[in-house]
Structure formats: structure tokens, C-alpha cells
Amino acid sequence: MIRLGIIDPRPVVLHGLQYVFNRTPEITIEISQANAHGIPSSALDVVLLGFCPSDGAACGRQITELSRKTSVLILSWARGPERKNEAVRCLRAGARGVLYPDAPVNILLDAVRTAAAGRMVIPTEVSSFLEAPAATDQLSLREQQVLDCIAEGYTHSQIARHLGISRHTVDTYVKRIRGKLKLGNKAELTRAAVQLIPGLDVPQTSPP
């Protein structure tokens, strides 16, 4: 049984999501409310969190806090070009994935199941962007996600399952990270990864 929490300030949205999930036998709604106050996230498998672009940093902090204890899925209300940028911000903050209100019900249900299993839910329009380095960062978002997993103590196989990619792809990302950050061995890699907690900004390094 998947224990779900739903957080959204829009009453109509809350009622609609309750209707959908109450008709799904393997998902039980533990909490459904307008904000994240008092959420016992350690007792939940997934939190579905409504997100508006105007919520900005405050919602980002909520994502980071909740994601330390449970899988967070974002129901984003961004429109147009802002969709991709907001999705990247949410993923950087620790969200397991991003959905949009125009997604079919079966996609919504599959996303909750995927997040509950510890895997990522990446929008199609964002997936290719994950591979590209941001303008001010040395690492791509995907490489940062791999490094963050290393900081959490994940093995390469666990990282592959967590991100929904192959073990070979994880190895490739690790080689890229070592090259970009000029890290010579696993100990240096782990130390660099831990230095990124709680943020994802890549520290500037200089050659030895």
C-alpha cells in the first residue's frame, strides 16, 4: 500500500485528486490539506505538492525539507517556457519528479507508483535539458544528481535505480564528474559530494 499525502492550496484541486486516488486500491490518502504545516512526512511514501511559479523560494525550501524524509512529486502550474525552468528548480531542490495538471490520470497514478519505488519522474521536455550544463555550473543537472546520490551513500547500482538509468550510464557520469572537478579517486569524489550538502552548487576547484 502506498501512503500518499496531498498538499495544494486549491480546494477544487484537492477534491479532484482525492476522487482519483480514492478509486485506486493500492494508494491510500493519509493527508490532504492546503499547506505543508504539520506533515509527518516520515509516515508517507509520497507527497504530491502543488506548486505555483509565484511560490518561489518558500516552496523550494518546502521541497528540500520534505524530500529528506519522503518522495516529493510536484504538481506544477507553470505555463509556457517557464515550465522547464521551474521543473529544473524543483528537481534541484530535491523533488523526485514533476507533473502538470493536463497529464492523463494514468500518468498521474504511474508517477506516484514510480516515486514510491524510489525512482525519478522527469517530464519529457526536461529530460534532454538534464544533460546540458547550466550557464554558471560546471556540472549538468543529471551529473549533480549523481553526485548528490554519492553524498547520500548510494552505490552505483542504487543510483541507477534511483534515477532510472543504467549502471553503465552512472559510471559514465562519475567519470565526467571526476574529470570536471579534477578528482583523482573515490575518496576525493565522496568528499566533494558531501561538501555539496545541503545545496547543489558545485564548488570551484583548482588543479593540484
Side-chain angles (χ1 to χ4, degrees):
M1 186 68 70
I2 297 173
R3 300 164 300 172
L4 176 67
I6 306 173
I7 304 170
D8 198 293
R10 305 160 189 83
V12 172
V13 174
L14 280 179
H15 287 304
L17 291 172
Q18 288 170 2
Y19 177 80
V20 169
F21 290 113
N22 281 334
R23 296 165 63 89
T24 307
E26 76 270 27
I27 298 175
T28 178
I29 300 175
E30 298 289 342
I31 292 170
S32 179
Q33 59 190 55
N35 56 61
H37 298 313
I39 293 289
S41 53
S42 59
L44 300 173
D45 298 307
V46 179
V47 169
L48 184 60
L49 178 63
F51 186 101
C52 286
S54 59
D55 293 341
C59 196
R61 289 191 293 271
Q62 284 185 350
I63 294 170
T64 299
E65 183 175 345
L66 288 170
S67 66
R68 294 190 180 108
K69 300 179 180 180
T70 189
S71 294
V72 178
L73 274 179
I74 301 301
L75 183 60
S76 170
W77 294 82
R79 297 177 181 272
E82 181 62 21
R83 274 191 170 194
K84 181 171 68 175
N85 295 331
E86 184 189 278
V88 170
R89 287 195 295 270
C90 292
L91 293 170
R92 284 181 183 272
R96 187 78 68 184
V98 179
L99 296 164
Y100 302 108
D102 55 0
V105 170
N106 65 304
I107 297 297
L108 174 63
L109 296 176
D110 285 344
V112 170
R113 296 182 185 109
T114 299
R119 300 192 301 273
M120 301 293 291
V121 181
I122 306 298
T124 303
E125 64 260 43
V126 176
S127 57
S128 60
F129 187 76
L130 294 178
E131 313 301 330
T136 58
D137 293 339
Q138 286 183 293
L139 304 184
S140 71
L141 177 57
R142 183 68 91 188
E143 289 164 348
Q144 289 174 324
Q145 288 175 327
V146 169
L147 195 58
D148 193 38
C149 288
I150 291 172
E152 297 291 338
Y154 286 32
T155 66
H156 287 203
S157 295
Q158 289 171 331
I159 294 171
R161 290 193 296 271
H162 177 68
L163 297 180
I165 57 181
S166 70
R167 165 64 188 267
H168 175 74
T169 301
V170 173
D171 292 342
T172 299
Y173 284 134
V174 170
K175 288 179 182 178
R176 291 181 188 173
I177 293 167
R178 283 181 173 175
K180 290 181 178 182
L181 300 186
K182 298 179 175 61
L183 303 173
N185 55 45
K186 185 175 180 179
E188 291 179 355
L189 178 65
T190 302
R191 184 162 56 249
V194 171
Q195 288 173 351
L196 295 184
I197 300 299
L200 285 176
D201 292 331
V202 180
Q204 295 296 320
T205 59
S206 56

